[in-house]
Amino acid sequence: MLRFYNTLTQQLEEFRPARDNTVRMYTCGPTVYDFAHIGNFRTFTFVDLLRRWLRASGFLLDHVMNITDVDDKIIRNAAAKHQSLKDYTAVYTQAFLDDCAVLRLESPERLVPATAHIDDMVSAIERLTAGGHTYPSEGSVYFRIATFPEYGKLSHNDFSGNLAGARVDVDEYEKADARDFALWKAPKEGETSWDTSIGPGRPGWHIECSVMAIKYLGATLDIHVGGVDLIFPHHENEIAQSESLTGQPFSRFWLHSEFLMVEGQKMSKSLGNYYTLRDVLQRGYAPETIRYLLASVPHRKTLNFTFDGLKSAATAIDRLRNFKLRLETDALPDGANEKLLERLQVARTAFVEAMDDDLNTAEALAAIFEYVRDANSAMDAGEFRAGNVGSALHLLDRFDEVFKVLEPSSAAGEIPAEEVEKLIEERNAAKKARNFGRADQIREELLAKGIILEDTKAGVRWKRK
Ligand code: AMP
Ligand code: ZN
């Protein structure tokens, strides 16, 4: 039984999509004003695991993610570089997509830029105005929170008293109530803006998500995902707008992932304590190592980023790869060890149950590693048999369908696997012909390219250094 912790109800709830086996899901995407940092990618890696596990659970996906390609920072940075918004954001949108591909994050079914939906946003704001939910102020349009009595139901903030300490939109405009937020922002002197039926300006951030989610997925989503910093005010505001527009609940499930931390603080641009994906790759870490680290801690727990953590992640992946290599190349006695087949069944069940339990990746990984430890010992003792290989590989496949770390990324300039295989064949032939000089030469040649050969009873196996 698949269960998720729902921020809205503050409970673990059984999940299945409302209609036709398809999960309608929305993720708040990146603001493309700079390279994303690995804190951002913690959230997007969680979303990727979620996608993959939903599919492994037999559901289809219709997943929308927005690209926020207009906001105050973008306007300011583009102007400073004398670039159009389009040219400026195109660079960072592409960088984000490239980084996602490097981290093996699947593309959502629909990736939608905010600036392609200005008309839809204007029309939504007009409907909100017709419903009495807005007021104008100095050319901007505000949402009047007082018209939405359920405000606060997601963040479980009590707004009946005063708002001291609440993080509210900081704007220089006149607002009736500190909680009210801009749906439409009047342009300041010289700023990029759109001429529309509600006047010149640009959309607020919150209306983007409501409009694009409803346009593609309908009034009620199955799942809405984002980092915990978006619960308030962003998601609270999305709910207020969306439910005022449709009269329906906006999302059945709200899933929020916790922060990637650095020395006790949230990794963030503003604190300057961040690494982009590119920074970490430049230090020689493989993308799948970063992916593993980000995936290894369940999403509702904070994860402290350290380079030691990355090193442990690399070691963990190596253990799994080495085990897989043994399964593929060790000469094993015939037959099947029944006890080990049962052991595998226990691991498989534990893995599935952990993932079903709100994507408890730490428990799921523990199930895999405990099995690998037992299987390795059995191999050393000669108790692991040929008939145990198939189910063991199958378990690794199930694991890797979601975690996606077993295949090594080939770095630029790296010798491709087919070429390694060809040289190994040539070396085998040389050895057969008792041309040991050539055989040694090939071994050296491969070593220089980072390939380690191991002669075993069952033949030659190889791995990258
Ligand atoms: P932004 O581009 O700032 O809108 O952020 C994109 C996503 O990254 C949002 O879902 C944020 O909640 C998330 N995010 C930002 N910082 C962190 C962090 N340190 N750890 C995890 N997620 C984060
Ligand atoms: Zn959003």
Side-chain angles (χ1 to χ4, degrees):
M1 184 175 75
L2 179 56
R3 294 187 309 168
F4 294 133
Y5 180 84
N6 187 349
T7 309
L8 186 65
T9 59
Q10 297 185 302
Q11 271 168 12
L12 269 178
E13 288 179 57
E14 185 177 349
F15 176 80
R16 72 167 65 91
R19 283 180 286 144
D20 61 26
N21 209 40
T22 300
V23 180
R24 291 170 178 80
M25 176 156 102
Y26 185 88
T27 311
C28 297
T31 307
V32 284
Y33 71 99
D34 203 344
F35 296 109
H37 59 66
I38 55 172
N40 302 127
F41 283 115
R42 178 178 191 200
T43 293
F44 297 122
T45 301
F46 163 62
V47 173
D48 188 62
L49 293 180
L50 176 63
R51 280 183 58 92
R52 291 172 187 273
W53 190 247
L54 285 166
R55 235 191 357 250
S57 307
F59 302 126
L60 302 171
L61 292 173
D62 190 354
H63 175 198
V64 176
M65 182 162 84
N66 67 307
I67 299 279
T68 300
D69 56 354
V70 53
D71 91 328
D72 295 350
K73 273 179 281 199
I74 291 174
I75 291 177
R76 200 173 52 221
N77 294 3
K81 286 192 153 184
H82 306 288
Q83 278 183 324
S84 68
L85 282 199
K86 223 184 162 85
D87 288 347
Y88 180 77
T89 56
V91 173
Y92 295 107
T93 303
Q94 192 54 50
F96 174 74
L97 298 179
D98 292 347
D99 287 355
C100 286
V102 166
L103 280 176
R104 306 175 182 185
L105 308 181
E106 291 183 337
S107 287
E109 279 62 33
R110 310 167 206 250
L111 196 65
V112 291
T115 54
H117 298 79
I118 303 287
D119 289 348
D120 297 307
M121 295 176 209
V122 167
S123 136
I125 295 168
E126 282 173 336
R127 276 179 288 138
L128 285 171
T129 299
H133 294 287
T134 76
Y135 60 92
S137 173
E138 299 179 358
S140 296
V141 181
Y142 286 88
F143 187 91
R144 194 188 293 281
I145 294 287
T147 67
F148 188 71
E150 293 175 65
Y151 195 76
K153 69 179 172 182
L154 180 70
S155 52
H156 304 276
N157 284 337
D158 179 6
F159 289 109
S160 53
N162 69 40
L163 283 162
R167 219 188 88 192
V168 290
D169 275 3
V170 189
D171 267 310
E172 290 140 28
Y173 309 97
E174 279 302 308
K175 293 194 278 188
D177 179 325
R179 298 171 302 170
D180 293 347
F181 58 90
L183 295 161
W184 188 253
K185 297 183 173 188
K188 293 178 198 136
E189 185 70 31
E191 272 183 0
T192 308
S193 68
W194 282 259
D195 276 319
T196 71
S197 50
I198 54 174
R202 63 178 187 276
W205 172 35
H206 315 301
I207 193 72
E208 268 183 35
C209 286
S210 290
V211 164
M212 294 191 282
I214 294 169
K215 173 167 178 157
Y216 294 107
L217 300 173
T220 303
L221 320 175
D222 289 306
I223 305 179
H224 195 308
V225 199
V228 283
D229 54 338
L230 302 190
I231 297 174
F232 183 81
H234 182 53
H235 289 164
E236 203 71 78
N237 291 352
E238 281 189 31
I239 290 176
Q241 299 162 145
S242 303
E243 300 190 0
S244 299
L245 276 169
T246 69
Q248 309 286 323
F250 181 38
S251 183
R252 298 169 54 232
F253 282 77
W254 288 85
L255 272 52
H256 291 101
S257 62
E258 262 294 350
F259 292 141
L260 185 69
M261 315 283 283
V262 182
E263 287 162 7
Q265 280 182 309
K266 172 191 176 189
M267 179 177 286
S268 77
K269 280 271 153 64
S270 54
L271 290 170
N273 61 352
Y274 65 92
Y275 297 96
T276 64
L277 179 63
R278 288 138 202 262
D279 294 335
V280 183
L281 294 176
Q282 257 176 18
R283 290 174 179 235
Y285 293 93
E288 60 271 27
T289 305
I290 304 162
R291 179 179 167 94
Y292 183 100
L293 177 69
L294 297 178
S296 62
V297 173
H299 67 284
R300 290 206 298 126
K301 291 207 166 88
T302 55
L303 161 53
N304 199 38
F305 175 76
T306 61
F307 285 97
D308 279 345
L310 271 179
K311 285 179 193 128
S312 311
T315 308
I317 296 174
D318 270 350
R319 276 186 64 199
L320 296 176
R321 285 181 183 161
N322 285 334
F323 175 61
K324 187 161 186 229
L325 194 63
R326 281 189 90 173
L327 287 174
E328 287 164 346
T329 57
D330 264 16
L332 297 165
D334 286 344
N337 178 330
E338 285 302 323
K339 253 195 161 144
L340 280 173
L341 288 177
E342 279 165 31
R343 175 70 192 80
L344 183 121
Q345 200 51 47
V346 169
R348 194 205 310 273
T349 306
F351 178 78
V352 171
E353 282 179 356
M355 291 301 284
D356 275 351
D357 180 18
D358 202 26
L359 255 56
N360 189 336
T361 50
E363 292 278 333
L365 287 171
I368 298 293
F369 278 101
E370 282 161 24
Y371 168 75
V372 168
R373 186 196 56 209
D374 291 352
N376 270 325
S377 316
M379 280 179 179
D380 295 342
E383 286 163 9
F384 197 100
R385 296 175 170 272
N388 294 95
V389 169
S391 53
L393 283 174
H394 187 254
L395 177 67
L396 285 183
D397 280 349
R398 277 223 80 180
F399 155 81
D400 208 44
E401 236 171 58
V402 190
F403 283 81
K404 273 280 167 232
V405 292
L406 291 184
E407 180 80 20
S409 304
S410 53
E414 200 170 67
I415 176 167
E418 308 86 72
E419 218 168 295
V420 176
E421 303 284 354
K422 243 171 72 190
L423 283 167
I424 289 177
E425 266 173 44
E426 197 191 324
R427 180 167 170 269
N428 288 342
K431 273 174 47 175
K432 233 184 181 161
R434 307 194 66 78
N435 183 354
F436 297 112
R438 176 63 187 144
D440 284 346
Q441 197 183 17
I442 292 172
R443 173 192 282 280
E444 292 303 314
E445 206 176 295
L446 282 169
L447 189 62
K449 290 179 173 159
I451 305 295
I452 299 169
L453 298 189
E454 216 176 281
D455 289 307
T456 73
K457 272 183 265 166
V460 181
R461 54 189 184 200
W462 64 274
K463 58 184 182 188
R464 295 186 196 273
K465 249 202 290 208

